Amino acid sequence: YSFSAYDITGKSKVLFYAFMHVGASTIGNGVGIHDNATYGALGADGTSNKNLYQLVTADTYIDLYKTTGGGPTWTELGHDTTIGNKTVVETNVVGLAIFADGSNVKSFAKWGTESQWFPVESVSDSAHTNYDQVYVRYNGLSARFITPVYCWAS
């Protein structure tokens, strides 16, 4: 389990995306936005995964999640089983993007170099509306994020 977070303290509108070679993972590789300045304390046990929106792709699905509270409570906002990265290391580049503007949260994906970005999920949710960090994370072997990662926030 690994992650890297970047500070965007106090932003209400965020577009964050990254490209990666995904690893073999049934748990997921992805991107997220976090409304807590202490995200750097995120633990592998998941107990500090609070107050975030997260988009992950795994073996047989792509999911958009949110968490709330100190537990935290995980809520699946969107689930698509027609999109996934199998449980093997991909040679193609995968792009994942997450956009939040007030109570609107949207996610997008791109597979390979010939593909266009396509929408995955779009939800209205007011759990988080002010953001302090964006992050990339992976669970699994051989996942590699390609730098730079991109963020626009206001």
Side-chain angles (χ1 to χ4, degrees), residues 21-140:
H21 290 279
V22 294
S25 175
T26 58
I27 300 173
N29 305 288
V31 296
I33 53 178
H34 198 267
D35 80 350
N36 188 326
T38 60
Y39 182 78
L42 176 69
D45 63 357
T47 58
S48 58
N49 289 311
K50 62 181 180 177
N51 304 326
L52 59 82
Y53 291 114
Q54 178 172 278
L55 175 67
V56 295
T57 182
D59 56 350
T60 59
Y61 63 88
I62 192 166
D63 277 343
L64 179 63
Y65 291 102
K66 78 171 179 182
T67 64
T68 53
T73 299
W74 285 84
T75 305
E76 185 178 80
L77 299 176
H79 179 77
D80 190 327
T81 58
T82 65
I83 306 169
N85 66 294
K86 303 175 282 200
T87 52
V88 298
V89 176
E90 289 283 349
T91 56
N92 289 328
V93 172
V94 173
L96 294 178
I98 189 165
F99 172 77
D101 178 9
S103 62
N104 298 311
V105 181
K106 298 178 181 183
S107 61
F108 304 87
K110 176 183 179 8
W111 258 257
T113 57
E114 302 299 317
S115 160
Q116 298 293 317
W117 286 96
F118 58 91
V120 180
E121 284 113 4
S122 180
V123 298
S124 181
D125 183 81
S126 59
H128 313 300
T129 56
N130 190 36
Y131 306 101
D132 295 314
Q133 293 183 334
V134 294
Y135 64 91
V136 293
R137 61 154 300 204
Y138 73 89
N139 290 334

